[in-house]
Amino acid sequence: MPVLTSSSSPSSAPPHAAPALPDAAPAAHPFAALGAAEGATTGGVRWLLRLEGAAVLALALWAYHQQAAGWGLFAAAFLAPDLSFLGYLAGPRVGARLYNAAHSYLGPAACLALGLLAAVPWAVPAALIWAAHIGFDRALGYGLKYPSGFRHTHLGLIGRPPR
């Protein structure tokens, strides 16, 4: 069956083929007008993900309180996942990978499973602190990073634009 291209004449195309469209410039990415990173969520979906982060934070705080592990430990360890920022010293690709590894819910889920299934006493409080940190970040709009730059996250652009 012949392929209809913009240079084909309509008479050479089979009768069921769509008419040829004129060549046009590629459309801008839908996020471009919004100033968001490519692949970032916008609108209601973005707010739903941020509310989800707030819910994880609240649940992790409640569960941590039930553990009676002490709030001093919580305060001392809460920002520990942000040590992954140091990966950006090796460049944006390495930085994004390390940041995402420390800010995905997979890590706290594995840590929680270790605590519950293998009865490792420190793992449950650690998992809850870690999940609370991620939930806090997501509630504030800090998402997983793209290797194109620190400001580009799955929840949109963060921070001030460079001058």
Side-chain angles (χ1 to χ4, degrees), residues 42-123:
T42 60
V45 173
R46 182 173 194 265
W47 284 105
L48 181 62
L49 290 173
R50 290 182 71 179
L51 285 173
E52 185 177 79
V56 168
L57 171 61
L59 182 61
L61 288 171
W62 175 82
Y64 187 83
H65 175 72
Q66 300 304 310
Q67 292 290 310
W71 291 102
L73 172 65
F74 188 93
F78 185 73
L79 296 177
D82 285 340
L83 292 174
S84 63
F85 285 140
L86 294 174
Y88 280 94
L89 294 174
R93 184 173 306 280
V94 172
R97 285 185 180 153
L98 288 177
Y99 181 92
N100 291 345
H103 288 82
S104 165
Y105 287 119
L106 293 174
C111 193
L112 183 63
L114 177 69
L116 295 176
L117 300 176
V120 177
W122 59 263

Side-chain angles (χ1 to χ4, degrees), residues 16-41:
H16 61 278
L21 297 174
D23 291 332
H29 193 277
F31 295 134
L34 300 172
E38 185 173 334
T41 58

Side-chain angles (χ1 to χ4, degrees), residues 130-157:
W130 194 356
H133 174 89
I134 297 169
F136 180 74
D137 277 2
R138 299 277 168 81
L140 293 177
Y142 294 95
L144 297 174
K145 308 291 186 211
Y146 288 106
S148 56
F150 178 79
R151 295 184 60 233
H152 301 171
T153 78
H154 84 287
L155 295 177
L157 290 175

